[in-house]
């Protein structure tokens, strides 16, 4: 089948930016070079002045299937994701029913077939009583096991010490954790309820979902992982205080070994801080909470300085009606996939990181960390999952939001870049203004 030749692009890959051409054929990157000439029938895309990135691999999304389709679904959210340059996603298990065994996992892969615009992996969830299912999970069937070491949306808290110990001892795939100490949060919430009754101001969220809750739980996760030699990835780090607990340095060290314990943060912790609650209210209520400007600053430095390994979204949509409730009743989470890469690239415009560092955190690192086969890099032979970025301004308007919930925390924000095109498995999926063709996402394969 004739493919596509992308010429004169600024290729961002493996720490460098170089001008060049990239040929796509049969879903793969067939050739990377300069001065490549078009073969018969090949479509030529002139990418002069634009950056070509390996598509983002988002290791943390909540696409809400099964059971919560009134908030979101795989077809619609994955469309929003490709519009945002995200070509692969890994989806969370706090659905209804939750993903607690191999059958529930396979049900999700079946649902994604022919409907997901991006490549996809589904996490297995942990509970206080599914260790038997976790122990025997096929390492090729899931990127990892998600452990809610703090209660959040859904009912998946794992707080039984013996179970936690067993999970860290016996899980055959990477463990990923939500770390917030629930007893600490409950005590804080009781104190704020005593003070404010049902009218707690949303500005109190970072004091209820406090830094102490994060630190305590993250310490416990690290202790368990060190005790058992577990591969642990701590999700959505939100405080400066936790950063000292992690190893600084590249995910894959010079000797080829890989960090056993890794950290992720999410785009909202780099773009918002406590001062934004006054303007955005429950729209930025999420767990863990967005905290102080000093945390935001420290997190940006930690991403740039290789303390944080992965930058993801934690895309967690809720309806406008739900978010309009008073603080205590409004659910936590915000939709992010459509604008996350653009928000990350603002850090490049601000001179805080270069584009290759962003690509390291959003594409290379998640591929390496979860052993994703043949994706996450611009390499000959790899799948052609690509995002073309144009440095032309884009102002976010509610009517352009593709997510089912129909709102964005970035409404009114002008980004200095836009996604000019996204290819998934070699096929154009987003042309800069609309979706093209049909969903073409594949099940992710893990080279373990
Ligand atoms: O803010 C959040 N929303 N944090 C989570 O841990 C869960 C997520 C959701 O599913 O809504």
């Amino acid at each position: 089948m004739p493919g596509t030749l992308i010429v004169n692009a600024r290729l961002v890959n493996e720490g460098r930016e170089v001008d060049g051409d990239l040929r796509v054929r049969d879903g793969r990157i067939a050739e990377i070079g300069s001065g490549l000439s078009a073969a018969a029938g090949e479509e030529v895309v002139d990418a002069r002045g634009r950056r070509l990135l390996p598509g983002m691999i988002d290791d943390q999304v909540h696409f809400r299937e099964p059971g919560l389709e009134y908030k979101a679904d795989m077809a619609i959210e994955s469309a929003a994701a490709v519009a945002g340059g995200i070509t692969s996603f890994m989806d969370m298990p706090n659905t209804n029913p939750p993903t607690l065994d191999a059958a529930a996992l396979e049900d999700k892969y079946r649902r994604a077939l022919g409907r997901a615009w991006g490549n996809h992996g589904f996490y297995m969830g942990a509970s206080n009583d599914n260790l038997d299912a976790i122990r025997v999970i096929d390492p090729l069937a899931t990127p990892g096991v998600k452990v809610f070491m703090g209660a959040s949306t859904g009912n998946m808290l794992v707080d039984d010490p013996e179970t936690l110990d067993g999970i860290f001892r016996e899980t055959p795939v990477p463990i990923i954790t939500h770390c917030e100490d629930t007893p600490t949060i409950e005590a804080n919430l009781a104190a704020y309820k005593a003070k404010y009754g049902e009218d707690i101001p949303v500005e109190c969220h970072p004091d209820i979902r406090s830094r102490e809750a994060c630190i305590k739980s993250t310490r416990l996760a690290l202790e368990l992982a060190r005790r058992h030699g577990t591969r642990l990835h701590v999700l959505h780090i939100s405080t400066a205080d936790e950063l000292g607990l992690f190893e600084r340095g590249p995910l894959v060290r010079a000797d080829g070994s890989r960090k056993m314990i890794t950290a992720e943060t999410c785009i909202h912790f780099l773009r918002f801080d406590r001062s934004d609650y006054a303007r955005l209210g429950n729209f930025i209520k999420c767990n863990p909470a967005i905290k102080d400007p000093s945390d935001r600053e420290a997190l940006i430095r930690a991403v740039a300085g290789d303390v944080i390994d992965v930058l993801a979204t934690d895309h967690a949509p809720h309806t406008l009606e739900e978010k309009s409730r008073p603080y205590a009743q409004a659910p936590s989470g915000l939709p992010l996939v459509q604008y996350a890469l653009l928000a990350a690239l603002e850090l490049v415009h601000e001179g805080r990181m270069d584009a290759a560092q962003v690509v390291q955190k959003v594409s290379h690192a998640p591929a390496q960390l979860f052993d994703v086969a043949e994706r996450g890099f611009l390499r000959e032979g790899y799948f052609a999952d690509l995002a073309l970025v144009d440095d032309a301004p884009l102002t976010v308007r509610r009517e352009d939001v593709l997510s089912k919930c129909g709102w964005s925390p970035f409404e009114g924000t002008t980004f200095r870049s836009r996604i000019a095109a996204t290819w998934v498995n070699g096929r154009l999926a987003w042309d800069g203004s609309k979706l093209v063709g049909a969903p073409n996402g594949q099940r992710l394969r893990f080279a373990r």
Side-chain angles (χ1 to χ4, degrees), residues 387-424:
L388 186 64
V389 176
D390 192 4
D391 283 344
L394 175 100
T395 301
V396 177
R397 303 178 308 173
R398 181 168 287 186
E399 58 265 39
D400 297 329
V401 173
L402 294 175
S403 278
K404 197 170 197 172
C405 66
W407 62 274
S408 165
F410 293 119
E411 284 167 37
T413 300
T414 299
F415 293 117
R416 281 170 272 190
S417 302
R418 51 171 67 216
I419 306 298
T422 307
W423 289 265
V424 178

Side-chain angles (χ1 to χ4, degrees), residues 242-249 259 261-264 301-310 361:
E242 292 163 282
L243 297 170
L245 303 173
F246 294 93
E247 176 186 335
R248 179 185 293 276
K259 285 184 190 174
I261 297 176
T262 50
E264 178 220 72
R301 284 177 196 271
V303 173
D306 275 345
V307 175
I308 300 261
D309 303 287
V310 172
K361 301 299 168 183

Side-chain angles (χ1 to χ4, degrees), residues 60 62 64 68 71 92 94 146 148 150-154 178 180 205 209 236 268 285-288 314-318 323 331-334:
Q60 193 186 177
H62 299 264
R64 306 292 192 210
L68 299 165
K71 294 179 197 272
M92 288 293 150
N94 59 333
K146 169 77 182 279
F148 280 92
S152 193
T153 305
H178 179 127
E180 283 186 295
H205 190 54
R209 291 256 167 188
H236 44 47
H268 42 292
K285 179 188 180 192
C286 57
N287 304 334
D314 194 7
H315 175 87
H318 297 283
K323 285 297 210 179
S332 289
L334 48 160

Side-chain angles (χ1 to χ4, degrees), residues 109-438:
Y109 283 109
R110 265 194 303 277
R111 287 167 184 273
L113 206 65
R115 290 175 61 229
W117 285 82
N119 310 304
H120 39 273
F122 295 98
Y123 290 106
M124 167 96 165
S127 74
N128 274 329
D129 45 36
N130 75 335
L131 185 53
D132 285 345
I134 290 175
R135 199 179 275 134
V136 298
I137 196 72
D138 175 0
L140 304 184
T142 182
V145 167
K146 169 77 182 279
V147 187
F148 280 92
M149 293 177 65
S152 193
T153 305
N155 211 348
M156 295 190 69
L157 176 65
V158 185
D159 58 356
D160 175 53
E162 248 174 67
T163 307
L164 267 180
D165 195 74
I167 291 170
F168 276 76
R169 191 177 58 235
E170 299 192 40
T171 298
V173 289
I175 288 184
I176 59 165
T177 54
H178 179 127
C179 287
E180 283 186 295
D181 182 62
T182 297
T184 304
I185 293 166
E186 280 172 353
N188 292 338
L189 184 59
Y192 279 82
K193 275 208 169 133
K195 185 166 175 196
Y196 292 103
E198 283 309 306
D199 292 326
I200 302 173
V202 65
E203 283 84 351
C204 301
H205 190 54
D207 304 312
I208 295 168
R209 291 256 167 188
S210 64
R211 74 179 59 248
E212 291 75 22
C214 297
I215 299 163
K216 185 169 180 192
S217 179
T218 296
R219 276 189 194 284
L220 174 60
L222 265 51
E223 206 177 285
L224 287 163
R226 292 203 173 105
R227 186 184 310 157
H228 296 297
T230 318
R231 266 179 73 186
L232 169 67
H233 185 47
V234 183
L235 298 177
H236 44 47
I237 296 294
S238 64
T239 73
D241 311 72
E242 292 163 282
L243 297 170
L245 303 173
F246 294 93
E247 176 186 335
R248 179 185 293 276
L251 175 62
V252 178
R253 306 183 189 97
D255 66 2
S257 65
R258 185 170 51 182
K259 285 184 190 174
M260 285 292 281
I261 297 176
T262 50
E264 178 220 72
T265 194
C266 301
I267 194 64
H268 42 292
F269 298 118
L270 308 187
R271 298 315 294 171
F272 301 117
D273 60 48
R274 189 187 282 270
S275 66
D276 293 301
Y277 287 107
R279 183 170 60 90
L280 292 165
N282 286 333
F283 279 166
I284 59 163
K285 179 188 180 192
C286 57
N287 304 334
I290 290 166
K291 298 187 173 66
D292 292 329
S294 53
D295 294 299
R296 175 182 176 184
E297 176 59 29
L299 289 163
I300 293 172
R301 284 177 196 271
V303 173
D306 275 345
V307 175
I308 300 261
D309 303 287
V310 172
L311 178 57
T313 66
D314 194 7
H315 175 87
H318 297 283
T319 66
L320 266 175
E321 185 278 319
E322 289 171 320
K323 285 297 210 179
S324 307
R325 295 174 192 165
Y327 165 76
Q329 282 89 50
S332 289
L334 48 160
L336 290 152
V337 284
Q338 194 173 346
Y339 300 108
L341 184 53
L342 300 185
L345 290 168
E346 281 303 297
L347 294 165
V348 178
H349 291 291
E350 290 162 5
R352 304 299 309 266
M353 288 171 73
D354 60 41
Q357 284 174 299
V358 170
V359 165
Q360 170 61 34
K361 301 299 168 183
V362 304
S363 308
H364 303 335
Q368 291 169 321
L369 204 151
F370 291 99
D371 316 293
V372 174
E374 302 177 303
R375 301 187 189 277
F377 295 84
L378 302 182
R379 287 182 185 161
E380 291 177 2
Y382 273 45
F383 288 101
D385 295 337
L386 308 167
L388 186 64
V389 176
D390 192 4
D391 283 344
L394 175 100
T395 301
V396 177
R397 303 178 308 173
R398 181 168 287 186
E399 58 265 39
D400 297 329
V401 173
L402 294 175
S403 278
K404 197 170 197 172
C405 66
W407 62 274
S408 165
F410 293 119
E411 284 167 37
T413 300
T414 299
F415 293 117
R416 281 170 272 190
S417 302
R418 51 171 67 216
I419 306 298
T422 307
W423 289 265
V424 178
N425 297 310
R427 258 210 251 149
L428 189 68
W430 172 253
D431 72 359
S433 56
K434 62 179 186 319
L435 293 157
V436 181

Side-chain angles (χ1 to χ4, degrees), residues 29-107:
I29 298 171
E31 196 178 4
I32 298 174
S34 63
L36 300 186
S37 45
E42 220 166 42
E43 189 199 349
V44 178
V45 175
D46 188 356
R48 188 175 299 279
R50 296 168 177 187
R51 287 191 171 103
L52 188 66
L53 280 46
M56 178 167 170
I57 299 176
D58 191 349
D59 78 358
Q60 193 186 177
V61 304
H62 299 264
F63 284 176
R64 306 292 192 210
E65 271 191 58
L68 299 165
E69 289 89 345
Y70 74 95
K71 294 179 197 272
D73 68 48
M74 282 184 206
I76 295 178
E77 303 314 306
S78 64
V82 298
I86 295 171
T87 51
S88 297
F89 63 88
M90 301 182 193
D91 182 68
M92 288 293 150
N94 59 333
T95 46
N96 188 15
T99 320
L100 294 176
D101 57 29
L105 208 52
E106 289 311 316
D107 173 61

